[in-house]
Amino acid sequence: SDMKKNANARLALIPAAALLALLAACGGGGDDAGTPVTGVTESQAQAMSANSAVVPSETADAATTLLSTTQAVVAGGTASQTFNCAGGGTAVFTASGGSLGSLTNGQLDAGEVYSVTYTNCVGSAGAASLSGSATLTVVSAAAGAVEVTTSTSGIVVTLPQRVLTLNGTSTLSQTVVTSGASTTTTNHWTSPQIVVTSQRNARNSSFTLTGIDITRSITTTNGVISARSSSGTHTMNAVLPNGTWTVTTATNGAVSYDANGVPTQGAWTITLPNNRIGVSVVPGTLTVTVDFGADGSIDRTYTFTSAAIGAEAG
């Protein structure tokens, strides 16, 4: 397929695959027999587990797409002039800070501020399309490393079957290390708050992420993804068609993902106001434990297959 032939396309489209498989997991549903009113039902446990694994990491990937697209626009364009993006659409940026030499060298340099307006801009073949406005302030830049702060105002990321809109501020630190045929890109993403809305056909969901501190790592070998992981913590308020809930999630070490963005190995803990959920993953299976009252005793254990989670998407 084209994704297998083009590493950039793979990196850009993985968020779409993961979102289609997991993001739309429904919240709510009827209580299970014997579940306390303040407890967690099986459908809620599945929704919380799926969304806590996918939404923050995929939003981090969207922030990374914003950075890479801006780098491409700045490298190929001229300030205040319409730039034809490589994969279609246009972008216009203004630049300030820095020196005349640095502002015209086609690279992000410390102290520079870029305000960009995208119109269906696709930064590279197969990448996600961006529309809307963003400001990126370059904190530091060196060979293989860059740190920026971002402010997005209605940035719309159009994926094959889903449209995401991002609003908020964040800091993104990226390092790229190449050794032989392998390249590892690590993105450390932090934010006080990002509001994400998701639209697919007639379905609309909203996620408010706060206290974000996530590290994403992707390794490619000969242009093909060979390892992918996430670690960190965040708080999520989810407003879904079938339920509303707020959880705080922390990984227990790094969680590994396959090339389609589905968790394959690792564990994380989900803390609710009255309960605690533990999630452990091996390839193809999520095991979810629910501790009513967060008193240390396990009251429910559920097992979900990756296929089952994917089947309820949409």
Side-chain angles (χ1 to χ4, degrees), residues 163-218:
V163 178
L164 299 179
T165 304
L166 277 62
N167 286 284
T169 60
S170 71
T171 299
L172 178 65
S173 300
Q174 181 181 88
T175 58
V176 181
V177 177
T178 298
S179 177
S182 295
T183 298
T184 299
T185 301
T186 302
N187 295 291
H188 181 209
W189 187 55
T190 60
S191 171
Q193 177 173 295
I194 295 287
V195 177
V196 183
T197 58
S198 171
Q199 180 179 14
R200 183 184 181 191
N201 300 324
R203 176 184 171 84
N204 293 277
S205 302
S206 176
F207 302 91
T208 300
L209 308 178
T210 56
I212 303 167
D213 189 339
I214 296 171
T215 298
R216 297 276 280 160
S217 179
I218 298 175

Side-chain angles (χ1 to χ4, degrees), residues 76 87 99 125 154 162 232:
S99 64
R162 183 177 299 281

Side-chain angles (χ1 to χ4, degrees), residues 5-19:
K5 295 177 182 178
N6 188 306
N8 290 331
R10 290 178 65 94
L11 291 174
L13 291 177
I14 281 171
L19 283 165

Side-chain angles (χ1 to χ4, degrees), residues 41-58:
T41 67
E42 181 175 0
S43 61
Q44 288 172 332
Q46 182 169 344
M48 292 172 183
S49 300
N51 286 300
S52 67
V54 173
V55 176
S57 57
E58 298 303 342

